[in-house]
Amino acid sequence: MDDRKLTPAEEKRKTKFKALSAELEQQGYQKTDLCFSVTKANVLAVAVTFPILIAGILLFFWKNGGSNSFSLSGWRFLLFLITFLAGIAVHELIHGITWSIFAKKGFKAIDFGFMAKYLTPYCTCGEPLPFWSYATGILMPTLILGVGVYLVGLFAESYAWALWGLLNIFAGGGDLAVLWRIRKRRKSLLLDHPYQIGCVVFDKN
């Protein structure tokens, strides 16, 4: 699914992942791989978020008309770009913080990585989690940085904040695609993949 060369940290996580998967299978769990290729994840991200983006834009103009409380020009555009790029890192941190709340080992179960080939940062949890715990960690960055910031922009009549929120909803499209794929796995244990997009699920035989 991903032919890129793994980093030493990824190789280490891969070894732990295989050992934990084998342990769960010995306990009577059946393993199912629900990972995506990067290409498929990007296509699904666009498909999932495009209707949301259109609805968000229409809602903003329906509520606020042509008001403009924040101009994206000059240094403000640069600030907007810097904060958006910083938000990508914060997005992954929110994944980690949320999952650490549910993980037995806390933040020690969390690791971060970067797919240099795709210029994509990621966060992974090294413990299997119940559906709602895993799904909460998946969704939280998009709720906070996407939906939350968009609503601030909507009610503050700020194009910039609304756009920032919508872009973060788009950035969370891959997470939403994963959430959609696991939606029927509510009785399963879900183990985040150590270096690919998605997870594996374990069901009792």
Side-chain angles (χ1 to χ4, degrees):
M1 181 175 292
D2 189 352
D3 59 356
R4 65 190 176 86
K5 181 177 175 60
L6 301 183
T7 66
E10 288 172 332
E11 289 286 1
K12 185 176 179 179
R13 289 199 302 269
K14 180 180 179 180
T15 300
K16 291 181 178 179
F17 175 81
K18 287 184 175 181
L20 183 53
S21 296
E23 181 181 335
L24 288 169
E25 288 177 305
Q26 288 176 357
Q27 295 175 13
Y29 285 92
Q30 181 177 351
K31 175 183 173 183
T32 305
D33 191 329
L34 295 182
C35 291
F36 297 98
S37 68
V38 173
T39 300
K40 185 174 182 179
N42 288 336
V43 170
L44 289 174
V46 173
V48 170
T49 58
F50 185 74
I52 299 174
L53 299 183
I54 296 300
I57 292 170
L58 293 176
L59 177 60
F60 184 91
F61 284 103
W62 175 79
K63 179 183 181 299
N64 299 314
S67 65
N68 186 3
S69 61
F70 197 101
S71 174
L72 278 181
S73 60
W75 68 268
R76 287 175 174 167
F77 175 77
L78 180 60
L79 180 62
F80 179 90
L81 181 61
I82 292 173
T83 56
F84 177 72
L85 293 176
I88 295 175
V90 175
H91 178 111
E92 300 305 325
L93 183 60
I94 293 173
H95 277 314
I97 292 173
T98 308
W99 278 327
S100 71
I101 294 173
F102 302 109
K104 294 179 181 179
K105 294 182 180 179
F107 212 76
K108 291 181 179 179
I110 308 302
D111 206 353
F112 299 90
F114 186 80
M115 296 183 188
K117 180 178 178 179
Y118 305 108
L119 299 178
T120 303
Y122 65 89
C123 172
T124 180
C125 178
E127 289 185 16
L129 297 173
F131 173 83
W132 289 110
S133 299
Y134 184 79
T136 300
I138 284 286
L139 189 58
M140 195 59 66
T142 304
L143 285 179
I144 294 174
L145 301 178
V147 177
V149 174
Y150 169 77
L151 290 176
V152 169
L154 178 67
F155 291 103
E157 301 184 9
S158 169
Y159 287 123
W161 286 115
L163 177 61
W164 200 90
L166 289 175
L167 287 175
N168 275 278
I169 292 175
F170 179 77
D175 295 333
L176 297 179
V178 172
L179 192 63
W180 176 258
R181 192 163 192 180
I182 67 173
R183 68 192 185 282
K184 296 181 180 179
R185 301 287 186 161
R186 299 185 183 183
K187 295 183 179 180
S188 305
L189 285 177
L190 297 98
L191 179 59
D192 209 32
H193 198 279
Y195 57 87
Q196 291 182 352
I197 299 172
C199 64
V200 295
V201 298
F202 294 89
D203 298 286
K204 273 288 188 180
N205 290 326

mmCIF file of all heavy atoms in Angstrom, residues 5 11 18 23 48 53 69 83 93 109 132 180 182 199:
data_model
loop_
_atom_site.group_PDB
_atom_site.id
_atom_site.type_symbol
_atom_site.label_atom_id
_atom_site.label_comp_id
_atom_site.label_asym_id
_atom_site.label_seq_id
_atom_site.Cartn_x
_atom_site.Cartn_y
_atom_site.Cartn_z
ATOM 1 N N LYS A 5 10.297 4.225 1.941
ATOM 2 C CA LYS A 5 11.253 3.709 2.913
ATOM 3 C C LYS A 5 10.881 4.218 4.299
ATOM 4 O O LYS A 5 10.699 5.422 4.496
ATOM 5 C CB LYS A 5 12.670 4.147 2.550
ATOM 6 C CG LYS A 5 13.747 3.626 3.497
ATOM 7 C CD LYS A 5 15.118 4.050 3.035
ATOM 8 C CE LYS A 5 16.198 3.633 4.027
ATOM 9 N NZ LYS A 5 16.235 2.175 4.220
ATOM 10 N N GLU A 11 10.048 1.859 11.716
ATOM 11 C CA GLU A 11 10.393 0.434 11.780
ATOM 12 C C GLU A 11 10.181 -0.105 13.196
ATOM 13 O O GLU A 11 9.686 -1.228 13.380
ATOM 14 C CB GLU A 11 11.846 0.220 11.349
ATOM 15 C CG GLU A 11 12.107 0.431 9.862
ATOM 16 C CD GLU A 11 11.569 -0.706 8.994
ATOM 17 O OE1 GLU A 11 10.967 -1.659 9.541
ATOM 18 O OE2 GLU A 11 11.752 -0.633 7.766
ATOM 19 N N LYS A 18 3.226 -5.296 14.971
ATOM 20 C CA LYS A 18 3.087 -6.704 14.598
ATOM 21 C C LYS A 18 2.971 -7.591 15.836
ATOM 22 O O LYS A 18 2.160 -8.534 15.866
ATOM 23 C CB LYS A 18 4.263 -7.144 13.729
ATOM 24 C CG LYS A 18 4.233 -6.600 12.311
ATOM 25 C CD LYS A 18 5.386 -7.174 11.489
ATOM 26 C CE LYS A 18 5.307 -6.743 10.027
ATOM 27 N NZ LYS A 18 6.419 -7.313 9.218
ATOM 28 N N GLU A 23 -0.504 -10.809 19.377
ATOM 29 C CA GLU A 23 -0.995 -11.084 20.731
ATOM 30 C C GLU A 23 -2.522 -11.065 20.770
ATOM 31 O O GLU A 23 -3.147 -11.936 21.391
ATOM 32 C CB GLU A 23 -0.434 -10.036 21.695
ATOM 33 C CG GLU A 23 -0.868 -10.228 23.139
ATOM 34 C CD GLU A 23 -0.309 -9.159 24.048
ATOM 35 O OE1 GLU A 23 0.736 -8.572 23.713
ATOM 36 O OE2 GLU A 23 -0.922 -8.901 25.107
ATOM 37 N N VAL A 48 -15.630 13.738 0.769
ATOM 38 C CA VAL A 48 -16.331 13.908 2.043
ATOM 39 C C VAL A 48 -16.503 15.379 2.401
ATOM 40 O O VAL A 48 -17.565 15.795 2.887
ATOM 41 C CB VAL A 48 -15.574 13.171 3.170
ATOM 42 C CG1 VAL A 48 -16.146 13.541 4.539
ATOM 43 C CG2 VAL A 48 -15.662 11.664 2.970
ATOM 44 N N LEU A 53 -17.853 22.113 2.639
ATOM 45 C CA LEU A 53 -17.275 23.415 2.307
ATOM 46 C C LEU A 53 -18.277 24.291 1.578
ATOM 47 O O LEU A 53 -18.416 25.484 1.889
ATOM 48 C CB LEU A 53 -16.025 23.229 1.445
ATOM 49 C CG LEU A 53 -14.867 22.442 2.057
ATOM 50 C CD1 LEU A 53 -13.681 22.418 1.105
ATOM 51 C CD2 LEU A 53 -14.458 23.028 3.395
ATOM 52 N N SER A 69 -15.200 41.859 7.790
ATOM 53 C CA SER A 69 -14.570 42.384 8.992
ATOM 54 C C SER A 69 -13.081 42.070 9.046
ATOM 55 O O SER A 69 -12.404 42.460 9.978
ATOM 56 C CB SER A 69 -15.249 41.803 10.236
ATOM 57 O OG SER A 69 -15.111 40.398 10.254
ATOM 58 N N THR A 83 -0.465 30.814 10.371
ATOM 59 C CA THR A 83 -1.324 30.196 11.380
ATOM 60 C C THR A 83 -1.973 28.917 10.856
ATOM 61 O O THR A 83 -2.164 27.962 11.611
ATOM 62 C CB THR A 83 -2.416 31.170 11.855
ATOM 63 O OG1 THR A 83 -3.178 31.637 10.717
ATOM 64 C CG2 THR A 83 -1.813 32.352 12.578
ATOM 65 N N LEU A 93 -1.335 17.243 17.189
ATOM 66 C CA LEU A 93 -1.199 17.269 18.641
ATOM 67 C C LEU A 93 -2.536 16.986 19.324
ATOM 68 O O LEU A 93 -2.587 16.281 20.337
ATOM 69 C CB LEU A 93 -0.655 18.630 19.081
ATOM 70 C CG LEU A 93 -0.396 18.799 20.580
ATOM 71 C CD1 LEU A 93 0.627 17.777 21.069
ATOM 72 C CD2 LEU A 93 0.077 20.222 20.880
ATOM 73 N N ALA A 109 1.790 6.288 24.921
ATOM 74 C CA ALA A 109 1.267 5.450 23.836
ATOM 75 C C ALA A 109 1.192 6.204 22.516
ATOM 76 O O ALA A 109 0.875 5.622 21.481
ATOM 77 C CB ALA A 109 -0.127 4.933 24.204
ATOM 78 N N TRP A 132 -15.565 4.219 20.438
ATOM 79 C CA TRP A 132 -15.855 5.621 20.753
ATOM 80 C C TRP A 132 -14.605 6.388 21.161
ATOM 81 O O TRP A 132 -14.468 7.578 20.868
ATOM 82 C CB TRP A 132 -16.937 5.716 21.830
ATOM 83 C CG TRP A 132 -18.286 5.305 21.306
ATOM 84 C CD1 TRP A 132 -18.992 4.170 21.624
ATOM 85 C CD2 TRP A 132 -19.070 6.006 20.341
ATOM 86 N NE1 TRP A 132 -20.166 4.113 20.909
ATOM 87 C CE2 TRP A 132 -20.242 5.229 20.119
ATOM 88 C CE3 TRP A 132 -18.916 7.193 19.633
ATOM 89 C CZ2 TRP A 132 -21.243 5.619 19.230
ATOM 90 C CZ3 TRP A 132 -19.909 7.583 18.747
ATOM 91 C CH2 TRP A 132 -21.051 6.799 18.552
ATOM 92 N N TRP A 180 -15.745 7.389 8.595
ATOM 93 C CA TRP A 180 -16.821 6.795 7.802
ATOM 94 C C TRP A 180 -16.577 5.303 7.598
ATOM 95 O O TRP A 180 -17.497 4.492 7.677
ATOM 96 C CB TRP A 180 -16.935 7.503 6.458
ATOM 97 C CG TRP A 180 -17.952 6.885 5.539
ATOM 98 C CD1 TRP A 180 -17.719 6.075 4.479
ATOM 99 C CD2 TRP A 180 -19.374 7.029 5.621
ATOM 100 N NE1 TRP A 180 -18.890 5.696 3.883
ATOM 101 C CE2 TRP A 180 -19.933 6.263 4.561
ATOM 102 C CE3 TRP A 180 -20.224 7.722 6.475
ATOM 103 C CZ2 TRP A 180 -21.304 6.183 4.346
ATOM 104 C CZ3 TRP A 180 -21.599 7.640 6.259
ATOM 105 C CH2 TRP A 180 -22.118 6.874 5.203
ATOM 106 N N ILE A 182 -14.986 3.222 9.529
ATOM 107 C CA ILE A 182 -15.096 2.405 10.751
ATOM 108 C C ILE A 182 -16.463 2.536 11.417
ATOM 109 O O ILE A 182 -16.670 1.994 12.507
ATOM 110 C CB ILE A 182 -13.999 2.793 11.779
ATOM 111 C CG1 ILE A 182 -14.228 4.209 12.294
ATOM 112 C CG2 ILE A 182 -12.612 2.624 11.175
ATOM 113 C CD1 ILE A 182 -13.299 4.606 13.438
ATOM 114 N N CYS A 199 -6.440 2.273 10.130
ATOM 115 C CA CYS A 199 -6.247 1.430 11.306
ATOM 116 C C CYS A 199 -6.571 -0.015 10.958
ATOM 117 O O CYS A 199 -7.006 -0.317 9.846
ATOM 118 C CB CYS A 199 -7.164 1.902 12.443
ATOM 119 S SG CYS A 199 -8.936 1.718 12.063
#
